[in-house]
Amino acid sequence: MSNKAPLLNIDHGAWLQALRGITTATNERTLITSGLSAGGVGNSAPVVDYDTVPAVAAALVAANMNSIPLDWAARFSVGGVNMNFFIVKQLPVLPPEAYLEKARCGGRWVEVVVPRVLELTYTGRELQGFAADLGWLGQPFPWDDSRRHRIQSELDAIFASMYGLNRSEVEWILDAPAPSSSFPSLKQHELNRLSEYRTQRYVLEAFDQLSKGEKLPNHV
């Protein structure tokens, strides 16, 4: 081994996208993926490779994988605590062409999704490279829990619309009646902290807006 060469050469403009490898169907969310600054990761954070596709593709996949409709499907696939790649590869991730279709609120779905992913992701300069690859040269976005909750819920509603779900199906996914169960940990946590199941209200409000062809609030 040479002691003259650096052990690790990091491109500070580079970024990664990783999955949470350890999970259970009883968590608030089963599948979580996020952008990371380039660096070493452990084996419990499998990395998704986007070397040959634009950053916008990573943003779309991240939004899809973090959405409640896809998470609902993932819950039926995880039997233990590992989100293995063979499970991820079988999940109903939307194809690229789906984002080029006309959105119910005007424009194309890609134009609705990407700005929301950018704001949720770019909260620190560690991911400045990712933001630049998406065409954003401004400052990182401030961390605002209430605003982030609203934006994530809008994305949940957007993907429910893209999957072609109706309102009763969205209601079931969010809060299936007993003896079935959807997201009990998420619901109970919000009831304890907020005195309401706010995700349900936010998602259904946004879904109803989209169903009427109304525009959601602009972001970025």
Side-chain angles (χ1 to χ4, degrees):
M1 173 189 276
S2 170
N3 61 4
K4 296 181 181 180
L7 295 178
L8 185 63
N9 184 19
I10 296 178
D11 178 359
H12 294 286
W15 47 272
L16 306 171
Q17 190 177 104
L19 305 172
R20 183 177 65 182
I22 305 300
T23 187
T24 72
T26 58
N27 288 346
E28 287 191 12
R29 298 284 181 118
T30 310
L31 176 60
I32 293 179
T33 180
S34 179
L36 305 172
S37 56
V41 297
N43 64 337
S44 60
V47 173
V48 183
D49 184 5
Y50 290 99
D51 283 347
T52 59
V53 296
V56 66
L60 296 173
V61 172
N64 194 175
M65 286 189 170
N66 286 320
S67 69
I68 274 182
L70 185 71
D71 204 285
W72 186 77
R75 287 174 176 246
F76 293 98
S77 303
V78 178
V81 297
N82 294 308
M83 181 59 71
N84 293 304
F85 269 125
F86 74 86
I87 296 175
V88 176
K89 289 180 178 179
Q90 295 180 65
L91 295 176
V93 177
L94 292 169
E97 55 270 20
Y99 298 93
L100 300 179
E101 296 179 4
K102 186 176 179 180
R104 294 182 180 181
C105 54
R108 300 181 186 276
W109 288 118
V110 62
E111 299 167 340
V112 181
V113 172
V114 171
R116 288 171 168 78
V117 178
L118 173 62
E119 183 167 344
L120 289 174
T121 304
Y122 186 38
T123 58
R125 293 196 177 279
E126 295 84 357
L127 282 174
Q128 188 172 15
F130 179 69
D133 287 347
L134 290 177
W136 180 257
L137 302 179
Q139 296 295 317
F141 296 92
W143 189 285
D144 183 326
D145 284 330
S146 296
R147 181 174 173 82
R148 290 176 63 82
H149 191 182
R150 177 72 74 173
I151 294 173
Q152 180 60 65
S153 297
E154 289 172 357
L155 284 170
D156 293 332
I158 287 166
F159 280 99
S161 296
M162 293 185 70
Y163 279 112
L165 302 177
N166 60 40
R167 197 181 198 278
S168 63
E169 290 169 334
V170 178
E171 290 174 344
W172 180 279
I173 286 174
L174 288 166
D175 192 18
S180 299
S181 180
S182 299
F183 293 87
S185 296
L186 174 63
K187 178 181 178 180
Q188 191 59 50
H189 176 72
E190 291 190 1
L191 288 174
N192 293 339
R193 185 169 61 92
L194 305 169
S195 299
E196 68 165 325
Y197 186 11
R198 186 173 293 178
T199 293
Q200 182 185 50
R201 177 164 66 86
Y202 280 178
V203 172
L204 290 176
E205 287 176 353
F207 185 81
D208 289 341
Q209 285 183 267
L210 289 171
S211 297
K212 297 174 184 176
E214 298 175 359
K215 288 189 175 182
L216 298 176
N218 291 327
H219 296 283
V220 184

